[in-house]
Amino acid sequence: MGCGMIARYAHLPCIKNTCGLELAAIYDPNPEHLRAAQEQFHVPQAFTDEAAFFASGLDAVVVTSPAPFHLHNVREAARHGLHVLCEKPLAMNDADIQQMIDLMADAKLMLFTGFCYRFSPVSMQIREMVRQGVIGEVRSQRLIYIWNLHGRYETTWTGERIESPRRVGRMLEGGPMVDCGVHQIDLARWWTGSEVVRQQAAGAWVENYEAPDHMYLHLDHESGAHTMVEMSFSYSHTASEPINHFSYHIIGTDGVIRYDRDGWHFEVRTPHGTTFYPGHDEKNFGGMYYAFAEALETGFTGDMPTGYDGLVATRIARQATESVIANRLLSPV
Ligand SMILES: NC(=O)c1ccc[n+]([C@@H]2O[C@H](COP(=O)([O-])OP(=O)(O)OC[C@H]3O[C@@H](n4cnc5c(N)ncnc54)[C@H](O)[C@@H]3O)[C@@H](O)[C@H]2O)c1
């Protein structure tokens, strides 16, 4: 449900390429988007009519519509007895996400959140190393993603320079912590296996949206570990040659794990020496679909992020963003 950018870039090809899954039908209220996706992926059935889509013989639904429509689409899937994998952020507020979780649980169906970062070989390996105590006990994590969200401006086909509509949409939906930071918050919980018991955030405004476009989030875990997440959508966003920075640092009592996405540099330093591992992209939709297919077949969640994981990460991100907005200094001191 939803044949836009992320569906065409990641979900549709992965559904087609995953053993055990069959791309039966697609739905999008926009006929142009629908047709383009149908042609690109040779989908047998394509609908702009929701009822016809749900009557087309489905076992599960993937929701890749914009976030404000996720609740409606999940409600309809639950009503039709279909398991769901839903893109992040699950919904626009906690109450809506809780409603999604309850609807799916009442219908005895599985609801998963599309936290595809979990399935990067880098992330899977970090989780395994943390579990095995390779760096001792985790005390501190730094997860940083500062980038330009594809730039502030776009040029239309008539040559007009406009504010990027995609950027405007993401900023109005909550900004970088809600849109991207939820992945990092999920990783912080998943790697440590420890819930967040306290949080504090700060932010900065490079542009003038309600939400800050550059944010710092500090999380204290039950285990005593601390996580810092830094997210930005305005880092070099007007530069002719923009640059990104994406990294993980996991600091333990007996070593560190370091990952720099942009140089694909992944290493572990312990008293036994330094080991270099192959780097990978931070996302892995293919791995997520492999786990999704397995969950559908077995009924066991496995490593798939649940609706609850989606709720916790989104709640933390939204509360952080709201607290920063509430504490904004309206005029510099
Ligand atoms: N996991 C990731 O790394 C990642 C990356 C990008 C986007 N996303 C998420 O994926 C979702 C979609 O993002 P996008 O960038 O593809 O957006 P998009 O705007 O490119 O595409 C959304 C599509 O949904 C369609 N749509 C509109 N209303 C709909 C409805 N009621 N039901 C079904 N479809 C509807 C639109 O016509 C459009 O084709 C968002 O929740 C976004 O946060 C996730």
Side-chain angles (χ1 to χ4, degrees):
M1 301 189 81
C3 301
M5 191 280 293
I6 201 64
R8 289 176 64 183
Y9 159 78
H11 292 271
L12 294 170
C14 285
I15 297 171
K16 287 215 81 156
N17 290 334
T18 303
C19 193
L21 298 183
E22 186 190 334
L23 182 56
I26 51 176
Y27 163 78
D28 197 302
N30 181 321
E32 279 173 34
H33 295 188
L34 187 74
R35 201 172 323 111
Q38 184 176 28
E39 278 169 17
Q40 186 180 355
F41 297 100
H42 311 288
V43 191
Q45 310 181 84
F47 303 96
T48 50
D49 179 68
E50 201 181 274
F53 169 75
F54 280 113
S56 65
L58 308 172
D59 298 311
V61 166
V62 178
V63 176
T64 52
S65 53
F69 305 106
H70 289 179
L71 171 62
H72 171 83
N73 290 336
V74 170
R75 183 188 294 123
E76 288 306 299
R79 211 162 63 80
H80 289 87
L82 304 172
H83 301 292
V84 174
L85 166 59
C86 181
E87 260 298 354
K88 45 57 47 178
L90 279 186
M92 301 305 286
N93 57 57
D94 289 358
D96 285 0
I97 301 180
Q98 190 59 57
Q99 206 187 125
M100 289 159 83
I101 293 172
D102 293 345
L103 285 166
M104 293 295 286
D106 289 350
K108 302 205 170 9
L109 294 164
M110 293 184 283
L111 171 64
F112 297 119
T113 309
F115 286 142
C116 55
Y117 284 36
R118 275 194 190 191
F119 300 93
S120 162
V122 168
S123 159
M124 300 293 274
Q125 207 167 340
I126 291 174
R127 167 141 157 116
E128 203 42 46
M129 286 193 281
V130 167
R131 273 183 174 174
Q132 288 176 7
V134 170
I135 56 164
E137 212 179 293
V138 172
R139 307 312 299 161
S140 178
Q141 306 186 104
R142 304 172 73 230
L143 292 85
I144 299 171
Y145 188 18
I146 50 176
W147 69 305
N148 69 341
L149 188 61
H150 309 295
R152 178 164 180 181
Y153 301 107
E154 253 181 47
T155 307
T156 65
W157 64 275
T158 56
E160 194 191 347
R161 194 173 185 240
I162 56 164
E163 296 269 344
S164 153
R166 180 189 162 109
R167 174 185 199 81
V168 173
R170 293 288 145 82
M171 285 307 303
L172 297 179
E173 278 174 25
M177 196 55 77
V178 171
D179 184 50
C180 279
V182 286
H183 286 292
Q184 272 79 357
I185 296 166
D186 180 62
L187 291 180
R189 292 176 60 238
W190 193 59
W191 288 340
T192 56
S194 182
E195 287 298 347
V196 172
V197 290
R198 192 169 51 174
Q199 68 180 77
Q200 207 176 348
W205 283 259
V206 177
E207 291 186 69
N208 242 339
Y209 291 96
E210 187 188 20
D213 42 62
H214 198 129
M215 270 192 71
Y216 305 85
L217 171 61
H218 291 273
L219 306 172
D220 288 311
H221 295 262
E222 239 168 1
S223 64
H226 182 88
T227 297
M228 192 276 288
V229 180
E230 182 184 358
M231 302 298 302
S232 177
F233 278 172
S234 51
Y235 188 70
S236 71
H237 72 321
T238 58
S240 64
E241 292 175 13
I243 189 158
N244 296 330
H245 177 77
F246 186 113
S247 62
Y248 302 144
H249 295 250
I250 299 94
I251 302 156
T253 49
D254 230 0
V256 292
I257 303 171
R258 290 151 44 92
Y259 166 63
D260 175 357
R261 192 272 314 265
D262 304 306
W264 271 29
H265 184 92
F266 184 25
E267 65 173 43
V268 181
R269 289 175 190 259
T270 73
H272 308 293
T274 304
T275 312
F276 298 96
Y277 294 99
H280 291 276
D281 203 3
E282 81 279 15
K283 298 184 184 185
N284 182 3
F285 284 92
M288 180 172 77
Y289 270 95
Y290 182 85
F292 182 43
E294 203 163 74
L296 291 176
E297 195 175 326
T298 62
F300 291 106
T301 298
D303 286 328
M304 280 301 285
T306 60
Y308 178 73
D309 292 324
L311 172 68
V312 173
T314 310
R315 181 168 58 209
I316 290 172
R318 279 201 198 286
Q319 279 180 4
T321 304
E322 281 161 16
S323 74
V324 173
I325 293 169
N327 292 326
R328 181 174 187 180
L329 290 175
L330 287 177
S331 50
V333 197

